[in-house]
């Protein structure tokens, strides 16, 4: 019996840029289609429930083995597998190592790669650099929320945590709301804050960038609030906090990371929307009780409140239901939406597939051979 040879496409970071990985408008459209497919069930992620964020390798605080890494800020390895159907019809896995100490070596905190695989045979189709891809899909997911929930005439954005994710979240906000003219930026350190302001003001010269000192200064009068902070977990009282009185009526607040509100506000006077409700239910099941102590995203706190009997499941909405018209975009003009973004491998597969197909069409990348004929067949 003969077996076909297997080739796959290798795309480095420059190849990914040439293939359009930085097309934010296209990425937002891909994420929107992904959410629709997920809502009708045309996807699978890891775990028995098919909704796991991924499988993580973490390290002990101490180890008798001198070669074994020990625990530290953002120190982990993670595999995030998924299949996504529809026009994507692709399986894949994002694999990465993360360590805050990388910055001392001139490296990003995380180094990411994406592998795309044939859904039937499992053969590799592409092996690609994924740092930019991951950053853009991470920004585009908030962008879908901004497209639907932000005021049509939104002018002011608050950025809390001026890192890579905030750069792409802001790019997404401007892509869907070109009326934006003012961005207030709150960071912990002046150097990182000013680096963000200098970089983004060159990209968007018609937008005014204003460094601010406090959360209140950032949030007041903002139509869109985007929060992407790097915060130690375990003690929610230390998470970045937004007081209800600071929030402009009709604002949308997006969080990809730690953020805290008063429980009374979450229970009685705001609307919680998730990027995938089953992801949050899976986290609650995996990490109960008090999942919010480990996963500091606002919707996880809502899941804790539901588990405690202080909220009901119908008080948390799923973005997919809104995109499919099953639930209203807004219940009233002054509704405040807190939109939680957990991050899912379906996002990487969706945008990775589109970039891969564009690379194939344009002849970008290097074709590598896995085998001409397999030497061992099982």
């Amino acid at each position: 019996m003969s077996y076909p040879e297997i080739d796959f496409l290798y795309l480095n970071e420059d190849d990914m840029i040439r293939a359009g990985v930085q097309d934010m408008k296209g990425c937002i459209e891909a994420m929107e289609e992904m959410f629709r497919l997920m809502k009708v069930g045309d996807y699978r992620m890891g775990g028995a429930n098919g909704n796991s964020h991924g499988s993580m390798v973490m390290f002990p605080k101490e180890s008798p083995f001198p070669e074994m890494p020990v625990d530290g800020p953002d120190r982990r390895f993670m595999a995030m597998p998924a299949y996504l159907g529809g026009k994507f019809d692709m399986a894949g896995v994002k694999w990465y190592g993360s360590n805050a100490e990388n910055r001392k070596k001139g490296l990003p905190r995380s180094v990411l790669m994406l592998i795309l695989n044939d859904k039937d045979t499992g053969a590799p189709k592409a092996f690609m650099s994924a740092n930019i891809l991951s950053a853009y899909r991470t920004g585009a997911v908030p962008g879908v929320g901004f497209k639907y929930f932000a005021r049509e005439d939104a002018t002011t954005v608050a950025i809390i945590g001026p890192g890579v994710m905030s750069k792409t979240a802001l790019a997404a906000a401007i892509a869907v709301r070109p009326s934006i003219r003012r961005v207030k930026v709150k960071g912990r350190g002046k150097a990182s804050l000013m680096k963000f302001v200098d970089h983004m003001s060159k990209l968007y010269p018609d937008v005014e960038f204003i460094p601010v000192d406090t959360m209140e200064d950032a949030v007041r009068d903002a139509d869109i609030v985007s929060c992407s902070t790097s915060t130690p977990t375990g003690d929610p009282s230390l998470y970045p906090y937004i007081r209800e009185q600071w929030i402009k009526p009709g604002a949308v607040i997006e969080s990809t990371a730690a953020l805290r509100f008063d429980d009374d506000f979450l229970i009685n006077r705001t609307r919680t929307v998730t990027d995938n409700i089953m992801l949050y239910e899976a986290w609650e099941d995996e990490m109960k009780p008090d999942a919010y102590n480990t996963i500091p995203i606002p919707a996880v706190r809502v899941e804790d409140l539901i588990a405690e009997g202080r909220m009901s499941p119908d008080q948390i909405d799923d973005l997919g239901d809104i995109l499919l018209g099953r639930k209203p975009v807004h219940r009233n003009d002054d509704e405040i939406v807190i939109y939680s973004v957990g991050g899912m491998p379906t996002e990487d597969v969706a945008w990775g597939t589109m970039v891969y197909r564009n690379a194939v069409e344009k002849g970008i990348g290097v074709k590598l051979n896995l085998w001409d004929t397999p030497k061992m067949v099982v």
Side-chain angles (χ1 to χ4, degrees):
M1 182 175 181
S2 63
Y3 294 89
E5 68 178 57
I6 291 181
D7 296 321
F8 62 95
L9 192 65
Y10 170 67
L11 298 166
N12 67 21
E13 193 165 86
D14 288 335
D15 294 331
M16 295 292 285
I17 292 170
R18 290 168 58 212
V21 72
Q22 294 173 305
D23 174 12
M24 180 56 79
K25 184 176 182 292
C27 192
I28 291 171
E29 291 171 354
M31 295 303 103
E32 191 170 342
E33 177 63 16
M34 176 209 70
F35 283 126
R36 291 192 174 96
L37 290 169
M38 291 186 70
K39 198 61 199 179
V40 299
D42 196 3
Y43 77 100
R44 292 295 292 177
M45 295 194 293
N49 57 19
N51 279 285
S52 178
H53 180 70
S55 179
M56 190 181 300
V57 175
M58 294 177 287
F59 297 101
K61 292 183 179 179
E62 297 179 357
S63 172
F65 307 104
E67 71 280 3
M68 180 180 286
V70 294
D71 189 28
D74 288 314
R75 191 159 202 178
R76 63 189 183 275
F77 286 93
M78 193 162 190
M80 299 173 65
Y83 164 78
L84 183 64
K87 71 176 186 179
F88 304 100
D89 197 28
M90 186 73 74
V93 60
K94 184 168 75 175
W95 167 251
Y96 69 93
S98 183
N99 186 353
E101 293 294 307
N102 281 357
R103 294 189 178 98
K104 296 179 181 178
K105 301 177 181 179
L107 294 169
R109 183 198 68 193
S110 299
V111 180
L112 305 99
M113 300 297 298
L114 178 68
I115 303 171
L116 297 178
N117 299 84
D118 184 280
K119 67 173 184 180
D120 294 316
T121 67
K125 297 178 78 68
F127 183 52
M128 59 181 67
S129 172
N131 276 59
I132 295 177
L133 182 145
S134 188
Y136 268 73
R137 66 80 156 158
T138 300
V141 171
V144 178
F146 301 152
K147 177 179 176 180
Y148 282 85
F149 302 125
R151 292 184 179 278
E152 291 289 340
D153 60 351
T155 61
T156 304
V157 175
I159 294 293
I160 299 165
V164 172
M165 287 190 290
S166 290
K167 290 178 181 177
T168 54
L170 178 58
I174 293 174
V176 299
R177 291 295 183 270
S179 55
I180 290 169
R181 288 295 176 265
R182 186 169 68 146
V183 177
K184 297 187 288 182
V185 188
K186 164 71 172 69
R188 279 197 296 263
K190 186 175 180 179
S192 61
L193 189 155
M194 295 312 300
K195 184 178 179 180
F196 178 92
V197 169
D198 290 344
H199 176 77
M200 300 305 288
S201 60
K202 291 174 184 175
L203 294 178
Y204 303 103
D206 295 332
V207 176
E208 180 185 14
F209 287 83
I210 307 169
V212 298
D213 295 325
T214 68
M215 292 283 283
E216 180 178 358
D217 290 340
V219 172
R220 282 196 181 276
D221 301 321
D223 300 295
I224 296 171
V225 179
S226 180
C227 186
S228 299
T229 62
S230 180
T231 305
T233 59
D235 183 356
S237 69
L238 301 179
Y239 298 168
Y241 169 70
I242 293 178
R243 187 184 297 276
E244 177 183 357
Q245 288 76 14
W246 305 340
I247 305 170
K248 181 178 179 178
V252 55
I253 301 172
E254 171 272 324
S255 179
T256 59
L259 193 59
R260 179 169 57 95
F261 301 87
D262 291 326
D263 286 346
D264 177 64
F265 176 55
L266 293 175
I267 294 168
N268 296 305
R269 290 180 302 283
T270 193
R271 183 183 188 186
T272 295
V273 177
T274 67
D275 50 349
N276 174 16
I277 186 64
M278 289 187 285
L279 175 67
Y280 296 84
E281 291 170 349
W283 272 330
E284 186 67 26
D285 184 60
E286 292 168 6
M287 301 180 183
K288 61 184 178 186
D290 301 323
Y292 183 57
N293 289 11
T294 304
I295 307 292
I297 305 172
V300 179
R301 177 56 188 156
V302 171
E303 288 289 347
D304 283 349
L305 292 169
I306 292 170
E308 294 167 12
R310 298 175 61 191
M311 292 183 72
S312 61
D314 62 3
Q315 287 182 268
I316 186 168
D317 289 333
D318 198 30
L319 181 62
D321 283 322
I322 295 163
L323 298 183
L324 293 177
R326 298 172 180 173
K327 292 188 177 180
V329 175
H330 286 292
R331 295 190 174 97
N332 61 72
D333 291 342
D334 289 339
E335 175 181 68
I336 294 169
V337 174
I338 299 175
Y339 172 42
S340 289
V341 175
M344 298 175 289
T346 47
E347 299 160 11
D348 301 290
V349 171
W351 191 225
T353 297
M354 302 307 289
V355 175
Y356 160 69
R357 289 174 180 166
N358 200 33
V360 171
E361 182 180 334
K362 294 184 176 182
I364 297 169
V366 178
K367 186 171 75 170
L368 299 177
N369 177 254
L370 189 67
W371 65 56
D372 292 323
T373 302
K375 301 302 185 287
M376 181 177 289
V377 179
V378 178

